[in-house]
Amino acid sequence: MRIGLYGGSFNPAHEGHRHVCLTALRRLRLDRIWWLVTPGNPLKDRGDLAPLDERAARARAVARDPRITVTTVEAEIGSRFTRDTLRFLVGRRPGIRFVWIMGADSLATFHRWKGFGDIAALVPIAVIDRPGFTLAAPCARAASVLGRYRVPERDAPRLASMIPPAWIYLHGPRSDLSSTAIRRTAGVNAP
């Protein structure tokens, strides 16, 4: 089984999240994707964070694909950091080939994540291009540190089978939707 893990606040979930996952399912030839709706991102202000159950419900409504499962596993296991969540999942499901999925905007700040090197050592990483980050993200600090582990885009179907560290940057159609912009337009806690 090849499963993509797509974590975030999903505050709110939107079609851009779905776009990223459909791209990853197709390009990486994944069987499923789990959305990991986090209780709160340690690098972001929690003041405008909608309740977890509301964000998870909205994510389920947006996902609309039987291959995408929305979870709140981080709250269930008491994890605050992606590194710890991945250690838990990889330890519990050693037969599954996990891939961490992130947008290029996250790659730009990945070096600030607690244990980003540990994350890269636990699972292969797929970075999906985002508007405004096409040129900047591959030059980001974490991308430079992990540069020797970047694999060519043509190897996307094999990424889930690669031994980490391994990461890929996937180009293609992009979505300019953003949870931050949606909250600004609709009001701070709009679902």
Side-chain angles (χ1 to χ4, degrees), residues 124-147:
I125 299 169
V127 180
I128 311 297
D129 196 14
R130 290 277 319 259
F133 292 91
T134 302
L135 299 177
C139 299
R141 184 171 165 190
S144 296
V145 169
L146 300 170

Side-chain angles (χ1 to χ4, degrees), residues 64-76:
R64 297 186 326 275
D65 190 298
R67 299 169 296 173
I68 300 172
T69 301
V70 176
T71 77
T72 57
V73 68
E74 289 185 315
E76 294 160 20

Side-chain angles (χ1 to χ4, degrees), residues 81-154:
F81 302 105
T82 299
R83 176 190 65 185
D84 300 333
T85 303
L86 292 178
R87 284 180 178 158
F88 176 86
L89 292 173
V90 168
R92 285 283 175 103
R93 303 289 181 104
I96 293 178
R97 304 299 296 181
F98 289 113
V99 174
W100 183 256
I101 299 166
M102 70 169 69
D105 53 328
S106 293
L107 179 60
T109 60
F110 191 41
H111 66 280
R112 295 178 54 214
W113 294 25
K114 186 169 183 89
F116 82 91
D118 297 335
I119 294 168
L122 282 164
V123 295
I125 299 169
V127 180
I128 311 297
D129 196 14
R130 290 277 319 259
F133 292 91
T134 302
L135 299 177
C139 299
R141 184 171 165 190
S144 296
V145 169
L146 300 170
R148 69 178 181 250
Y149 303 112
R150 184 175 177 182
V151 297
E153 203 165 343
R154 69 179 174 272

Side-chain angles (χ1 to χ4, degrees), residues 14-191:
H14 54 73
E15 290 296 322
H17 294 126
R18 186 172 187 275
H19 169 79
V20 164
C21 290
L22 294 178
T23 297
L25 282 162
R26 181 176 45 83
R27 300 277 307 274
L28 302 173
R29 296 191 185 145
L30 299 173
D31 298 305
R32 299 191 57 86
I33 290 185
W34 295 350
W35 286 11
L36 308 177
V37 183
T38 182
N41 182 332
L43 297 176
K44 293 183 180 178
D45 177 16
R46 292 184 187 200
D48 63 353
L49 193 62
L52 180 63
D53 59 339
E54 289 178 22
R55 290 181 286 122
R58 163 83 183 231
R60 287 182 190 96
V62 169
R64 297 186 326 275
D65 190 298
R67 299 169 296 173
I68 300 172
T69 301
V70 176
T71 77
T72 57
V73 68
E74 289 185 315
E76 294 160 20
I77 65 172
S79 176
R80 289 188 57 225
F81 302 105
T82 299
R83 176 190 65 185
D84 300 333
T85 303
L86 292 178
R87 284 180 178 158
F88 176 86
L89 292 173
V90 168
R92 285 283 175 103
R93 303 289 181 104
I96 293 178
R97 304 299 296 181
F98 289 113
V99 174
W100 183 256
I101 299 166
M102 70 169 69
D105 53 328
S106 293
L107 179 60
T109 60
F110 191 41
H111 66 280
R112 295 178 54 214
W113 294 25
K114 186 169 183 89
F116 82 91
D118 297 335
I119 294 168
L122 282 164
V123 295
I125 299 169
V127 180
I128 311 297
D129 196 14
R130 290 277 319 259
F133 292 91
T134 302
L135 299 177
C139 299
R141 184 171 165 190
S144 296
V145 169
L146 300 170
R148 69 178 181 250
Y149 303 112
R150 184 175 177 182
V151 297
E153 203 165 343
R154 69 179 174 272
D155 291 335
R158 297 181 344 145
L159 183 68
S161 300
M162 293 181 178
I163 295 172
W167 70 280
I168 196 163
Y169 194 98
L170 297 177
H171 296 87
R174 300 170 294 175
S175 171
D176 60 359
L177 291 173
S178 133
S179 294
T180 303
I182 291 170
R183 284 192 311 276
R184 273 193 214 123
T185 302
V188 174
N189 287 324

